[in-house]
Coordinates of all heavy atoms in Angstrom, one line a residue:
F132 N -8.6 -1.2 21.9 CA -9.4 -0.9 23.2 C -10.5 -1.9 23.4 O -11.3 -2.2 22.5 CB -10.0 0.5 23.1 CG -9.0 1.6 23.1 CD1 -8.4 2.1 22.0 CD2 -8.6 2.2 24.3 CE1 -7.5 3.2 22.0 CE2 -7.7 3.3 24.4 CZ -7.2 3.7 23.2
F133 N -10.6 -2.4 24.6 CA -11.5 -3.5 24.9 C -12.3 -3.1 26.2 O -11.8 -2.3 27.0 CB -10.9 -4.8 25.2 CG -10.2 -5.4 24.0 CD1 -8.9 -5.1 23.7 CD2 -10.9 -6.3 23.2 CE1 -8.2 -5.7 22.6 CE2 -10.3 -6.9 22.1 CZ -8.9 -6.6 21.8
I134 N -13.5 -3.7 26.3 CA -14.2 -3.7 27.6 C -14.6 -5.1 28.0 O -14.6 -6.0 27.1 CB -15.5 -2.8 27.5 CG1 -16.4 -3.3 26.4 CG2 -15.2 -1.3 27.3 CD1 -17.8 -2.7 26.4
A135 N -14.8 -5.3 29.3 CA -15.3 -6.7 29.7 C -15.9 -6.5 31.1 O -15.4 -5.7 31.9 CB -14.1 -7.7 29.8
E136 N -17.0 -7.3 31.3 CA -17.6 -7.3 32.6 C -16.9 -8.3 33.5 O -16.5 -9.4 33.0 CB -19.1 -7.6 32.5 CG -19.8 -7.4 33.8 CD -21.3 -7.2 33.6 OE1 -21.8 -7.3 32.5 OE2 -21.9 -6.9 34.7
Y137 N -16.6 -7.9 34.7 CA -16.0 -8.9 35.6 C -16.9 -9.1 36.8 O -17.8 -8.3 37.1 CB -14.6 -8.3 36.1 CG -14.8 -7.3 37.2 CD1 -14.7 -7.5 38.5 CD2 -14.9 -5.9 36.7 CE1 -14.8 -6.5 39.5 CE2 -15.0 -4.9 37.7 CZ -15.0 -5.2 39.0 OH -15.1 -4.2 40.0
T138 N -16.7 -10.3 37.5 CA -17.4 -10.6 38.7 C -16.4 -11.0 39.7 O -15.2 -11.4 39.3 CB -18.4 -11.7 38.5 OG1 -17.8 -12.8 37.9 CG2 -19.6 -11.2 37.6
D139 N -16.7 -11.0 41.0 CA -15.8 -11.4 42.1 C -15.2 -12.8 41.9 O -14.1 -13.1 42.3 CB -16.4 -11.2 43.4 CG -16.7 -9.8 43.8 OD1 -16.0 -8.9 43.2 OD2 -17.5 -9.5 44.7
D140 N -16.0 -13.7 41.4 CA -15.6 -15.1 41.2 C -14.5 -15.3 40.1 O -13.9 -16.4 40.0 CB -16.8 -16.1 41.1 CG -17.5 -15.8 39.8 OD1 -17.3 -14.8 39.1 OD2 -18.3 -16.7 39.4
M141 N -14.3 -14.3 39.4 CA -13.2 -14.3 38.4 C -11.8 -14.0 38.9 O -10.8 -14.2 38.3 CB -13.5 -13.4 37.2 CG -14.7 -13.7 36.4 SD -15.0 -12.4 35.2 CE -16.4 -13.0 34.3
K142 N -11.8 -13.6 40.2 CA -10.5 -13.2 40.8 C -9.7 -14.5 41.1 O -10.2 -15.3 41.9 CB -10.7 -12.4 42.0 CG -9.4 -11.8 42.6 CD -9.7 -10.6 43.5 CE -8.5 -10.0 44.0 NZ -7.7 -9.3 43.0
V143 N -8.5 -14.6 40.6 CA -7.6 -15.8 40.8 C -6.3 -15.4 41.5 O -5.6 -16.3 41.9 CB -7.3 -16.5 39.5 CG1 -8.6 -17.1 38.9 CG2 -6.6 -15.6 38.5
S144 N -6.0 -14.1 41.6 CA -4.8 -13.7 42.3 C -4.9 -12.3 42.7 O -5.9 -11.6 42.3 CB -3.5 -13.9 41.4 OG -3.4 -12.9 40.4
E145 N -3.8 -11.8 43.4 CA -3.8 -10.4 43.7 C -3.4 -9.4 42.6 O -3.5 -8.2 42.7 CB -2.9 -10.2 45.0 CG -3.4 -10.8 46.2 CD -4.8 -10.4 46.6 OE1 -5.1 -9.2 46.7 OE2 -5.7 -11.3 46.8
G146 N -2.9 -10.0 41.5 CA -2.4 -9.2 40.4 C -1.1 -8.5 40.8 O -0.3 -9.0 41.6
G147 N -0.9 -7.3 40.3 CA 0.3 -6.6 40.6 C 1.4 -6.6 39.5 O 2.4 -5.9 39.6
G148 N 1.2 -7.4 38.5 CA 2.2 -7.5 37.4 C 3.1 -8.7 37.5 O 3.1 -9.5 38.4
V149 N 4.0 -8.7 36.5 CA 5.0 -9.8 36.5 C 6.3 -9.4 37.1 O 6.9 -8.4 36.7 CB 5.2 -10.2 35.0 CG1 6.3 -11.3 34.9 CG2 3.9 -10.6 34.4
E150 N 6.7 -10.1 38.1 CA 7.9 -9.7 38.9 C 9.2 -9.6 38.0 O 10.0 -8.7 38.1 CB 8.2 -10.7 40.0 CG 9.0 -10.1 41.2 CD 9.0 -11.0 42.3 OE1 8.0 -11.4 42.9 OE2 10.2 -11.4 42.7
T151 N 9.3 -10.6 37.0 CA 10.5 -10.6 36.2 C 10.6 -9.4 35.2 O 11.6 -9.1 34.7 CB 10.6 -11.9 35.4 OG1 9.4 -12.0 34.6 CG2 10.7 -13.1 36.2
E152 N 9.4 -8.7 35.0 CA 9.4 -7.5 34.2 C 9.4 -6.3 35.1 O 9.2 -5.2 34.6 CB 8.1 -7.5 33.4 CG 8.0 -8.6 32.4 CD 6.7 -8.7 31.6 OE1 5.9 -7.7 31.6 OE2 6.5 -9.7 30.9
T153 N 9.8 -6.5 36.4 CA 9.8 -5.4 37.4 C 8.6 -4.5 37.4 O 8.7 -3.3 37.6 CB 11.1 -4.5 37.2 OG1 11.1 -3.8 36.0 CG2 12.4 -5.4 37.4
E154 N 7.4 -5.2 37.2 CA 6.2 -4.4 37.3 C 5.8 -4.3 38.8 O 6.0 -5.2 39.6 CB 5.0 -5.1 36.5 CG 5.3 -5.1 35.0 CD 4.1 -5.8 34.3 OE1 3.7 -6.9 34.7 OE2 3.7 -5.2 33.2
D155 N 5.2 -3.1 39.1 CA 4.8 -2.8 40.5 C 3.5 -2.1 40.4 O 3.4 -0.9 40.4 CB 5.9 -2.0 41.2 CG 5.6 -1.7 42.6 OD1 4.9 -2.5 43.3 OD2 6.0 -0.6 43.1
I156 N 2.4 -2.9 40.3 CA 1.1 -2.3 39.9 C 0.2 -2.4 41.1 O 0.0 -3.5 41.7 CB 0.5 -3.1 38.7 CG1 1.5 -2.9 37.5 CG2 -0.9 -2.6 38.4 CD1 1.2 -3.8 36.3
E157 N -0.4 -1.3 41.5 CA -1.5 -1.3 42.5 C -2.8 -1.5 41.8 O -3.1 -0.8 40.8 CB -1.4 0.0 43.2 CG -2.4 0.1 44.3 CD -2.4 1.5 45.0 OE1 -1.5 2.3 44.8 OE2 -3.4 1.7 45.8
V158 N -3.6 -2.4 42.3 CA -5.0 -2.7 41.7 C -6.0 -1.8 42.4 O -6.0 -1.8 43.7 CB -5.3 -4.1 41.8 CG1 -6.7 -4.4 41.2 CG2 -4.3 -5.0 41.1
L159 N -6.8 -1.1 41.7 CA -7.8 -0.2 42.3 C -9.2 -0.6 41.8 O -9.5 -0.6 40.6 CB -7.6 1.3 41.8 CG -6.2 1.9 42.0 CD1 -6.2 3.3 41.4 CD2 -5.9 2.0 43.5
E160 N -10.0 -1.0 42.7 CA -11.4 -1.3 42.4 C -12.2 -0.1 42.9 O -12.3 0.1 44.1 CB -12.0 -2.6 43.0 CG -13.4 -2.9 42.6 CD -13.9 -4.2 43.1 OE1 -13.4 -4.7 44.2 OE2 -14.7 -4.8 42.4
L161 N -12.8 0.7 42.0 CA -13.4 1.9 42.4 C -14.9 2.0 42.0 O -15.3 1.5 40.9 CB -12.7 3.1 41.7 CG -11.2 3.3 41.9 CD1 -10.7 4.3 41.0 CD2 -10.9 3.6 43.3
P162 N -15.7 2.6 42.8 CA -17.1 2.9 42.3 C -17.0 3.8 41.0 O -16.1 4.7 41.0 CB -17.7 3.7 43.5 CG -16.9 3.4 44.7 CD -15.5 3.1 44.2
I163 N -17.8 3.5 40.1 CA -17.8 4.3 38.8 C -17.9 5.8 39.1 O -17.2 6.6 38.4 CB -18.8 3.8 37.8 CG1 -18.6 4.5 36.4 CG2 -20.2 4.1 38.3 CD1 -17.3 4.3 35.7
E164 N -18.7 6.2 40.1 CA -18.8 7.6 40.4 C -17.5 8.2 40.8 O -17.1 9.4 40.4 CB -19.8 7.8 41.5 CG -21.3 7.5 41.1 CD -21.9 8.6 40.2 OE1 -21.2 9.6 39.9 OE2 -23.0 8.3 39.8
E165 N -16.7 7.5 41.6 CA -15.4 8.0 42.0 C -14.4 8.1 40.8 O -13.7 9.0 40.7 CB -14.8 7.0 43.1 CG -13.5 7.5 43.7 CD -12.9 6.6 44.8 OE1 -13.7 5.9 45.4 OE2 -11.7 6.7 45.0
A166 N -14.5 7.1 39.9 CA -13.6 7.1 38.7 C -13.9 8.3 37.9 O -13.0 9.0 37.4 CB -13.7 5.8 38.0
I167 N -15.2 8.6 37.7 CA -15.6 9.8 36.9 C -15.2 11.1 37.6 O -14.8 12.0 36.9 CB -17.2 9.7 36.7 CG1 -17.5 8.5 35.7 CG2 -17.7 11.0 36.1 CD1 -18.9 8.2 35.6
E168 N -15.3 11.1 38.9 CA -14.9 12.3 39.6 C -13.4 12.5 39.4 O -12.9 13.6 39.2 CB -15.2 12.2 41.1 CG -14.9 13.4 41.9 CD -15.3 13.3 43.4 OE1 -16.3 12.6 43.7 OE2 -14.6 13.8 44.3
M169 N -12.6 11.4 39.5 CA -11.2 11.5 39.3 C -10.9 12.0 37.8 O -9.9 12.7 37.6 CB -10.5 10.1 39.5 CG -10.5 9.7 41.0 SD -10.0 8.0 41.1 CE -8.2 8.1 40.8
L170 N -11.7 11.5 36.9 CA -11.6 11.9 35.5 C -11.8 13.4 35.4 O -11.0 14.2 34.8 CB -12.6 11.1 34.7 CG -12.6 11.4 33.2 CD1 -11.3 11.0 32.5 CD2 -13.8 10.7 32.6
N171 N -12.9 13.9 36.0 CA -13.3 15.3 35.9 C -12.4 16.3 36.7 O -12.2 17.4 36.3 CB -14.7 15.5 36.4 CG -15.7 14.8 35.4 OD1 -15.4 14.7 34.2 ND2 -16.9 14.5 35.9
N172 N -11.7 15.8 37.7 CA -10.9 16.7 38.5 C -9.4 16.6 38.1 O -8.5 17.2 38.7 CB -11.1 16.5 40.0 CG -10.5 15.2 40.5 OD1 -9.7 14.6 39.9 ND2 -11.0 14.8 41.7
G173 N -9.1 15.8 37.0 CA -7.7 15.7 36.5 C -6.8 14.7 37.2 O -5.6 14.6 36.9
E174 N -7.4 13.9 38.1 CA -6.5 12.9 38.7 C -6.2 11.7 37.7 O -5.2 11.0 37.9 CB -7.3 12.3 39.9 CG -7.3 13.1 41.1 CD -8.0 12.4 42.3 OE1 -7.4 11.5 42.9 OE2 -9.1 12.8 42.6
I175 N -7.1 11.5 36.7 CA -6.8 10.6 35.7 C -6.3 11.3 34.5 O -7.0 12.1 33.9 CB -8.0 9.7 35.3 CG1 -8.4 8.8 36.6 CG2 -7.8 8.9 34.1 CD1 -9.7 8.0 36.4
Q176 N -5.0 11.1 34.1 CA -4.4 11.8 33.0 C -3.9 10.9 31.9 O -3.3 11.3 30.9 CB -3.3 12.6 33.5 CG -3.7 13.7 34.5 CD -2.6 14.6 34.9 OE1 -1.4 14.2 35.0 NE2 -2.9 15.9 35.0
D177 N -4.2 9.6 32.0 CA -3.8 8.7 30.9 C -4.9 8.7 29.8 O -6.1 8.4 30.1 CB -3.7 7.3 31.5 CG -3.5 6.2 30.5 OD1 -2.4 6.3 29.8 OD2 -4.3 5.3 30.3
M178 N -4.5 9.0 28.6 CA -5.4 9.1 27.5 C -6.3 7.8 27.3 O -7.4 7.9 27.0 CB -4.7 9.5 26.2 CG -5.6 9.8 25.0 SD -6.7 11.2 25.3 CE -5.5 12.5 25.2
R179 N -5.6 6.7 27.3 CA -6.3 5.4 27.1 C -7.5 5.2 28.1 O -8.6 4.8 27.8 CB -5.4 4.2 27.2 CG -4.2 4.4 26.2 CD -3.0 3.5 26.6 NE -2.6 3.7 28.0 CZ -1.8 3.0 28.7 NH1 -1.3 1.9 28.2 NH2 -1.5 3.3 30.0
T180 N -7.2 5.6 29.4 CA -8.1 5.5 30.4 C -9.3 6.5 30.2 O -10.5 6.1 30.4 CB -7.5 5.7 31.8 OG1 -6.3 4.8 31.9 CG2 -8.4 5.4 32.9
I181 N -9.0 7.7 29.8 CA -10.0 8.7 29.6 C -10.9 8.2 28.5 O -12.1 8.3 28.6 CB -9.3 10.0 29.2 CG1 -8.6 10.6 30.4 CG2 -10.3 11.0 28.7 CD1 -7.7 11.8 30.1
V182 N -10.3 7.6 27.4 CA -11.1 7.1 26.3 C -12.1 6.1 26.7 O -13.3 6.1 26.4 CB -10.2 6.6 25.1 CG1 -11.0 5.8 24.1 CG2 -9.5 7.7 24.5
L183 N -11.7 5.1 27.5 CA -12.5 4.0 27.9 C -13.6 4.4 29.0 O -14.7 3.9 29.0 CB -11.7 2.8 28.3 CG -11.2 2.0 27.1 CD1 -10.4 0.8 27.5 CD2 -12.3 1.5 26.1
L184 N -13.2 5.3 29.8 CA -14.2 5.8 30.8 C -15.3 6.6 30.1 O -16.4 6.4 30.5 CB -13.5 6.6 31.9 CG -12.7 5.8 33.0 CD1 -12.0 6.7 33.9 CD2 -13.7 4.9 33.8
Q185 N -14.9 7.4 29.2 CA -15.9 8.1 28.4 C -16.8 7.2 27.6 O -18.0 7.4 27.5 CB -15.2 9.2 27.6 CG -14.7 10.3 28.4 CD -14.1 11.4 27.5 OE1 -13.6 11.2 26.4 NE2 -14.0 12.6 28.1
Y186 N -16.2 6.1 27.1 CA -17.0 5.1 26.4 C -18.0 4.5 27.3 O -19.2 4.3 27.0 CB -16.1 4.0 25.8 CG -16.9 2.9 25.1 CD1 -17.1 3.0 23.7 CD2 -17.3 1.8 25.8 CE1 -17.9 2.0 23.1 CE2 -18.1 0.8 25.2 CZ -18.3 0.9 23.8 OH -19.1 0.0 23.2
A187 N -17.6 4.2 28.5 CA -18.5 3.6 29.6 C -19.6 4.5 29.9 O -20.8 4.1 30.0 CB -17.7 3.3 30.8
I188 N -19.3 5.8 30.0 CA -20.3 6.8 30.3 C -21.3 7.0 29.1 O -22.5 6.9 29.3 CB -19.7 8.2 30.6 CG1 -18.8 8.1 31.9 CG2 -20.7 9.3 30.7 CD1 -17.9 9.3 32.1
I189 N -20.8 7.1 27.9 CA -21.6 7.3 26.8 C -22.6 6.1 26.5 O -23.7 6.3 26.1 CB -20.8 7.6 25.5 CG1 -20.1 8.9 25.6 CG2 -21.6 7.5 24.2 CD1 -19.0 9.1 24.6
N190 N -22.0 4.9 26.8 CA -22.8 3.7 26.5 C -23.5 3.1 27.7 O -24.0 2.0 27.7 CB -21.9 2.7 25.8 CG -21.5 3.1 24.4 OD1 -22.2 3.0 23.5 ND2 -20.3 3.7 24.3
N191 N -23.5 3.9 28.8 CA -24.2 3.5 30.0 C -23.8 2.0 30.5 O -24.7 1.2 30.8 CB -25.7 3.5 29.8 CG -26.2 5.0 29.5 OD1 -25.8 5.9 30.3 ND2 -26.9 5.1 28.5
L192 N -22.5 1.7 30.5 CA -22.1 0.4 30.9 C -22.4 0.3 32.4 O -22.6 -0.8 32.9 CB -20.6 0.2 30.7 CG -20.1 0.2 29.2 CD1 -18.7 -0.1 29.1 CD2 -20.9 -0.8 28.4
V193 N -22.2 1.3 33.2 CA -22.5 1.3 34.6 C -23.3 2.6 34.9 O -23.1 3.6 34.2 CB -21.2 1.3 35.5 CG1 -20.7 -0.2 35.5 CG2 -20.1 2.2 35.0
S194 N -24.0 2.6 35.9 CA -24.9 3.8 36.2 C -24.0 4.9 36.8 O -23.1 4.7 37.6 CB -25.9 3.4 37.3 OG -26.6 4.6 37.7

Side-chain angles (χ1 to χ4, degrees):
F132 291 89
F133 295 90
I134 57 170
E136 189 158 6
Y137 76 93
T138 55
D139 289 343
D140 63 345
M141 294 176 178
K142 189 162 181 65
V143 295
S144 76
E145 293 305 308
V149 179
E150 205 174 300
T151 57
E152 296 175 15
T153 63
E154 291 181 318
D155 182 29
I156 298 169
E157 181 182 350
V158 180
L159 307 173
E160 184 176 30
L161 303 171
I163 186 62
E164 292 287 356
E165 185 178 339
I167 291 169
E168 186 179 326
M169 292 170 72
L170 180 66
N171 291 334
N172 70 21
E174 285 180 75
I175 294 177
Q176 295 186 325
D177 172 63
M178 185 65 71
R179 304 160 307 167
T180 306
I181 292 168
V182 166
L183 283 180
L184 282 174
Q185 289 182 337
Y186 179 91
I188 294 166
I189 291 165
N190 292 281
N191 298 311
L192 295 184
V193 283
S194 174

